[in-house]
Amino acid sequence: MVTEEKTELLSMLPAELEAWMLSHGEAKFRAAQIFPQLHRGLSPEDMTNVGRSLKEKLLSDTRYHLPTVEMKLVSAIDGTVKYLFGLYDGHCVESVVMRYEHGNTICISSQVGCRMGCKFCASTIGGRVRDLSAAELLGQVIAAQKDMGERISNIVMMGIGEPLDNYDNVLKFLHLVNCEGGLNIGYRHISLSTCGLVEGIERLAAEDLPITLSISLHAPDDETRSAIMPINRKYGVDALLEACRKYYARTGRRISFEYTLIAGKNDSPALAEKLATLLNTRLRSKREGMPIHVNLIPVNEVEETEFKRSGKQAVAAFARVLEARGIRATVRRKLGADINASCGQLRRQHGKNT
């Protein structure tokens, strides 16, 4: 197990890498020489255009650890690829690559475990172990792209962990993955999902990045939401929607609302009516006129919980109510059904077997 604390090469922005070169007696242009190679998955040892002296400095004073593929599952149904990635300290996280006509999308993890405690989520069982560094966030994309031999063009931050609970590392990752000399994935091709950390949403709005923000709402009132999402006891529905309104007013970027449907818990037509009233009243009555989209997600059944997926008729009925009230609603297509592509379960199973 590697535990040394050294500068992570993949966590350095171009300007930081230039400063490192100068501080180690190297020419500034060396940064531009190695930055693209690092982001293609080459370690300093593998670079052919770097002299021995610089290699020795890099190996001595920095570290470069791409996640290792501990397990890889490929769906025979739709080609979805699920990775269990091993980190430098022995912990594991999951990433999922989904294939679409417009390109490959990767869903990455932001933490080892999660402390948000959402009752229906496998990722939060066992709590949060630690945050992922910007290098480890970026490394998931690089490692998957390198293993598949295909370009990844879109990123969803919806894997293990709460991105806004690891704010500084996530923000740096967003800047790194957007760099022209690196993976060069545009901000508009990145979606970040949060369970509703209001201060984090406000901070993100001030960054003015044209990413897509997804809100894991899952209920239209405090009583129902608090029962399945403990974070709601700190940031209630009203406070969360007000933060969303301000985010849209500041950025002009549409917000997607995620709604996991749990049989008998939050999937009744009455709650659909309440959700429509809530969103129309709190967001559409304002001068900004925010466009509203609700992504309906039948819950992924987890062994450790009693929650069951809503039936197809219940899902369709819920969607009809929203559509009738002028709210666009889509039902998320389940990808990788034969490999349990939803995050959290593979890591837990691996932990039981080791």
Side-chain angles (χ1 to χ4, degrees):
M1 180 182 295
V2 180
T3 58
E4 78 270 18
E5 291 299 324
K6 295 182 179 180
T7 301
E8 293 178 295
L9 281 171
L10 277 179
S11 282
M12 284 196 274
L13 291 160
E16 293 172 324
L17 194 53
E18 288 178 355
W20 187 93
M21 291 295 174
L22 291 174
S23 70
H24 285 73
E26 298 287 340
K28 189 167 69 170
F29 77 86
R30 294 292 185 192
Q33 195 175 32
I34 74 167
F35 187 84
Q37 298 185 76
L38 295 171
H39 288 234
R40 286 199 298 270
L42 290 177
S43 71
E45 289 178 313
D46 298 327
M47 297 177 188
T48 58
N49 63 340
V50 175
R52 173 47 55 187
S53 174
L54 177 54
K55 282 187 179 183
E56 289 176 352
K57 292 175 185 178
L58 289 168
L59 293 171
S60 173
D61 296 346
T62 70
R63 60 183 173 92
Y64 182 83
H65 294 295
L66 282 184
T68 57
V69 179
E70 300 297 315
M71 192 180 300
K72 176 182 177 181
L73 303 176
V74 182
S75 171
I77 299 173
D78 50 43
T80 297
V81 183
K82 184 170 186 176
Y83 290 101
L84 181 70
F85 281 130
L87 305 176
Y88 77 96
D89 60 358
H91 291 298
C92 292
V93 292
E94 297 173 34
S95 302
V96 179
V97 179
M98 297 155 286
R99 301 176 186 275
Y100 298 101
E101 289 184 3
H102 60 266
N104 294 324
T105 295
I106 187 169
C107 178
I108 66 170
S109 297
S110 57
Q111 296 174 311
V112 179
C114 181
R115 61 178 172 179
M116 296 297 107
C118 298
K119 304 300 184 183
F120 51 84
C121 181
S123 299
T124 198
I125 298 171
R128 168 187 166 278
V129 179
R130 68 171 177 85
D131 294 335
L132 296 187
S133 67
E136 290 170 323
L137 292 162
L138 186 63
Q140 294 171 71
V141 187
I142 296 171
Q145 191 167 264
K146 187 176 181 180
D147 178 76
M148 294 176 62
E150 301 175 33
R151 173 168 167 74
I152 291 172
S153 55
N154 302 276
I155 298 172
V156 178
M157 303 197 75
M158 201 179 290
I160 296 171
E162 162 56 54
L164 297 184
D165 191 37
N166 184 19
Y167 188 90
D168 292 337
N169 286 322
V170 165
L171 181 63
K172 192 165 193 183
F173 159 73
L174 293 174
H175 291 309
L176 282 164
V177 80
N178 183 247
C179 286
E180 288 188 13
L183 296 182
N184 195 22
I185 296 176
Y187 291 124
R188 295 181 186 276
H189 294 272
I190 301 173
S191 178
L192 184 150
S193 178
T194 176
C195 67
L197 275 64
V198 168
E199 283 97 341
I201 294 170
E202 293 171 346
R203 289 181 68 187
L204 191 62
E207 308 289 351
D208 203 21
L209 300 176
I211 64 172
T212 297
L213 180 65
S214 295
I215 302 295
S216 295
L217 188 57
H218 308 319
D221 58 69
D222 285 332
E223 181 181 2
T224 307
R225 194 167 191 263
S226 293
I228 57 176
M229 301 182 71
I231 192 65
N232 195 74
R233 297 166 197 157
K234 182 174 183 181
Y235 306 109
V237 171
D238 285 346
L240 176 56
L241 291 188
E242 179 61 14
C244 291
R245 187 191 68 79
K246 291 179 179 178
Y247 184 92
Y248 177 77
R250 175 72 180 261
T251 67
R253 297 288 294 166
R254 187 195 72 168
I255 296 173
S256 176
F257 292 92
E258 312 286 336
Y259 196 103
T260 294
L261 289 161
I262 306 169
K265 297 290 184 181
N266 66 349
D267 64 343
S268 69
L271 285 178
E273 287 281 0
K274 184 178 282 191
L275 177 63
T277 298
L278 175 76
L279 296 178
N280 280 325
T281 301
R282 292 303 307 275
L283 301 180
R284 278 200 171 140
S285 64
K286 303 295 183 180
R287 181 169 53 86
E288 294 85 354
M290 182 193 300
I292 301 173
H293 172 238
V294 176
N295 194 9
L296 299 174
I297 312 164
V299 72
N300 184 54
E301 295 182 6
V302 178
E303 180 183 340
E304 290 87 348
T305 75
E306 78 282 6
F307 296 141
K308 301 296 182 184
R309 293 167 65 87
S310 300
K312 290 183 179 180
Q313 290 184 342
V315 174
F318 201 97
R320 282 197 300 271
V321 171
L322 295 180
E323 294 282 359
R325 297 290 301 276
I327 293 176
R328 181 169 174 257
T330 56
V331 180
R332 179 180 294 173
R333 181 164 61 99
K334 185 174 176 61
L335 297 176
D338 54 332
I339 59 172
N340 282 328
S342 297
C343 273
Q345 297 185 85
L346 193 59
R347 171 176 167 261
R348 283 191 58 75
Q349 189 61 47
H350 178 77
K352 291 176 183 178
N353 295 335
T354 55

